[in-house]
Amino acid sequence: DQQVKQNSPSLSVQEGRISILNCDYTNSMFDYFLWYKKYPAEGPTFLISISSIKDKNEDGRFTVFLNKSAKHLSLHIVPSQPGDSAVYFCAALLRDDKIIFGKGTRLHILP
Amino acid sequence: DTGVSQDPRHKITKRGQNVTFRCDPISEHNRLYWYRQTLGQGPEFLTYFQNEAQLEKSRLLSDRFSAERPKGSFSTLEIQRTEQGDSAMYLCASSFGQGSTYEQYFGPGTRLTVT
């Protein structure tokens, strides 16, 4: 049973435009929601997080929005840059520090 | 410090053989995690240590899998009698601190292929 769902396996966005990656979850017990970015042949790297008590967190070009009533979060990247091409994992943290990952969305930034 | 390192990066083994992977976390990180990632999936939690104590094991970790962190520094993950279904990327991560330590730092992974 997938507790964290990323329903779009891939997304293509023009350079300079906004990239929006979506994620849904089923467990209301998650403390934090996280986004990780992964390049080929590397491990995932932490990108941004949001506490379950917040509805928005911003860090430079990256903003994460949390809609608790819909159990939905999204990552906005604006403006999108070529180096943003990677796989993005939505993840959620349980109180015992276990991270549950989604399947990932591959983002392609087009020139 | 150059981050979390894992050795080997790739391992090809025949079914039935035993394999052992090593993870060196970021120094002074007291928590160490093992994950497994298969094609088209996100990383799946296997087990984690706080210092040398193994605090949780996923049901994904069958009796053929064992992990150790003998001195609270590096960790090893051993798979006995490998099966083709064990083919995956094995990721190690580390973190530091009390309470929620969501910023886990991942190594590059060990890719296991069982033939």
Side-chain angles (χ1 to χ4, degrees), chain A residues 33-35 46-50 57-59 62-64 75:
Chain A
F33 298 92
L34 324 165
W35 286 93
F46 172 76
L47 191 58
I48 191 170
S49 68
I50 187 167
N57 187 27
E58 190 172 354
D59 183 2
F62 303 92
T63 303
V64 56
L75 175 67

Side-chain angles (χ1 to χ4, degrees), chain A residues 42-55:
Chain A
E42 295 182 12
T45 54
F46 172 76
L47 191 58
I48 191 170
S49 68
I50 187 167
S51 166
S52 59
I53 62 173
K54 301 279 179 73
D55 53 20

Side-chain angles (χ1 to χ4, degrees), chain A residues 4 23 32-36 73 89-93 99-102:
Chain A
V4 177
C23 178
Y32 282 87
F33 298 92
L34 324 165
W35 286 93
Y36 276 80
L73 63 154
F89 291 103
C90 174
L93 180 75
I99 294 182
I100 309 296
F101 285 85

